[in-house]
Amino acid sequence: MTPSRKRNVLGVLVDATDYAAATEQVVAAAQERRPLALTALAVHGVMTGVLDRAHNARLNSFDVVTPDGQPVRWALNLLHGAGLTDRVYGPTLTLHVLSRFADEGLPVYLYGSTEETLSRLIPALERMFPALKIAGVEPSKFRAVRPGEDVEIADRIKASGARLVLVGLGCPRQEVFAYAMRPLLDMPLMAVGAAFDYHAGLLRKPPPWMQRAGLEWLWRLGLEPKRLWHRYLVLNPAYLSRLFGQKTGLWKATPPPPATERLTEFAV
C-alpha cells in the first residue's frame, strides 16, 4: 500500500497513491464519522482546474485526488518520481470501496445521474456485492441548488444512515457538489465520474491494452464524438504542452491555496 502524498500536476494537487491506500482512507473516514472528499481526475479533470483557478483551489482542498488517467499517473512519475505502477481509476476504485463497505456493513448513498441509470445500477451492484447496504438513492435534479436545499439534501443523506455518498454528476459538477457538501456531512463523498454508467452497463469499457496505453480517451471519443471532441482534441494537447512547460521550468505551475469559502451556487 502506497502512503498518499500530494504532488503538483499543472497546479492541481494530486495524490501519489494506489487503490489500497485510497480505499483505506475512505473506509477510515466512514468508520470515524468524519468528512472526506475524494475525486479521481483524468486529463480533463486536471484541465478544469488549470483553466479555472477558483476551481483549482476547490480541487486542492480535497482530501484525496487520485490519478484516474494514465497520463496523470505518468505526470506524477515524470515530475516527481512517484514510481506509480498503476493509475487509480474511478470506476475500479468504486468497486474496491464498495467491496469493503459490504464487508464492514457500512451503508452507501447514491447521488446523481438519472432514474433510468440508477434503476440499472442498483441491481448490478447488488449482484456484485450481495451484502451491500444501499441506504438511499437520489437522481440529479439537473439544475442549480435552491436556497437551503443543500442542507435539506444533507439531512436526507444523514437520516438514511449512510456512511458514504457516491456522487455521479459528471466532471466538474460532481467535484463542486462534493466540495460544497463536505462541511455538511460527517462521512466521505466520492466523485466517481462515469462509474455509474459503467457499472449500470450503459458504457462499454475499452480493452485492457487501450487502458494500459492511456488510450481510453480515444475509445470514449469514438463512442461519443459530438459530446467529447473538445475535451480530448483540445484539452489533451493543452495538457501535454503545459506538462512540458512544468517539467522544463518554462511555466511555473503554482498551486493555489485550498479553497475555504462556502458555496451557495452549484449544480444538484
Side-chain angles (χ1 to χ4, degrees), residues 1-261:
M1 184 165 63
T2 303
S4 183
R5 317 184 295 282
K6 289 197 177 290
R7 297 290 183 264
N8 175 5
V9 177
L10 313 193
V12 177
L13 299 179
V14 182
D15 290 80
T17 189
D18 57 22
Y19 287 111
T23 299
E24 286 303 320
Q25 286 180 268
V26 174
V27 172
Q31 291 172 332
E32 296 164 14
R33 294 184 175 271
R34 56 179 169 82
L36 178 142
L38 177 150
T39 186
L41 295 186
V43 167
H44 173 241
V46 171
M47 290 303 295
T48 61
V50 172
L51 300 175
D52 181 343
R53 194 162 178 83
H55 187 59
N56 194 341
R58 288 192 290 268
L59 293 175
N60 288 353
S61 77
F62 271 55
D63 303 276
V64 187
V65 176
T66 75
D68 177 272
Q70 295 288 10
V72 181
R73 176 181 71 89
W74 296 336
L76 287 168
N77 289 344
L78 175 68
L79 296 171
H80 305 292
L84 297 179
T85 58
D86 196 6
R87 62 177 176 165
V88 183
Y89 182 46
T92 302
L93 177 61
T94 299
L95 298 183
H96 282 265
V97 169
L98 290 180
S99 177
R100 284 292 308 279
F101 271 64
D103 291 343
E104 301 285 341
L106 297 168
V108 177
Y109 200 95
L110 307 178
Y111 188 95
S113 195
T114 65
E115 290 186 5
E116 177 188 2
T117 298
L118 292 171
S119 69
R120 297 183 61 169
L121 175 63
I122 294 168
L125 294 180
E126 290 173 339
R127 285 192 297 271
M128 285 187 278
F129 309 106
L132 181 66
K133 298 178 181 178
I134 298 178
V137 178
E138 192 166 341
S140 173
K141 286 84 175 157
F142 297 98
R143 58 168 171 77
V145 67
R146 293 169 179 159
E149 190 176 16
D150 53 349
V151 175
E152 294 172 1
I153 293 171
D155 287 346
R156 284 198 296 274
I157 293 171
K158 288 186 287 188
S160 76
R163 302 305 317 140
L164 166 69
V165 186
L166 297 182
V167 185
L169 293 174
C171 179
R173 293 184 302 276
Q174 61 193 9
E175 284 78 21
V176 179
F177 180 92
Y179 170 84
M181 297 298 293
R182 184 186 185 279
L184 304 178
L185 294 168
D186 60 348
M187 66 189 75
L189 296 108
M190 288 179 59
V192 296
F196 282 17
D197 288 333
Y198 276 124
H199 299 318
L202 297 173
L203 275 180
R204 289 181 296 148
K205 289 184 180 180
W209 71 266
M210 291 190 81
Q211 296 185 49
R212 290 191 298 270
L215 294 175
E216 185 166 354
W217 67 271
L218 185 60
W219 173 268
R220 292 199 63 191
L221 179 62
L223 293 177
E224 301 179 87
K226 289 184 179 179
R227 187 174 76 87
L228 298 177
W229 72 268
H230 182 269
R231 176 186 299 190
Y232 296 128
L233 299 185
V234 175
L235 294 185
N236 281 11
Y239 174 85
L240 292 174
S241 65
R242 288 174 185 262
L243 181 59
F244 174 80
Q246 183 178 353
K247 176 63 177 177
T248 59
L250 295 174
W251 175 53
K252 296 295 183 183
T254 305
T260 57
E261 79 275 9

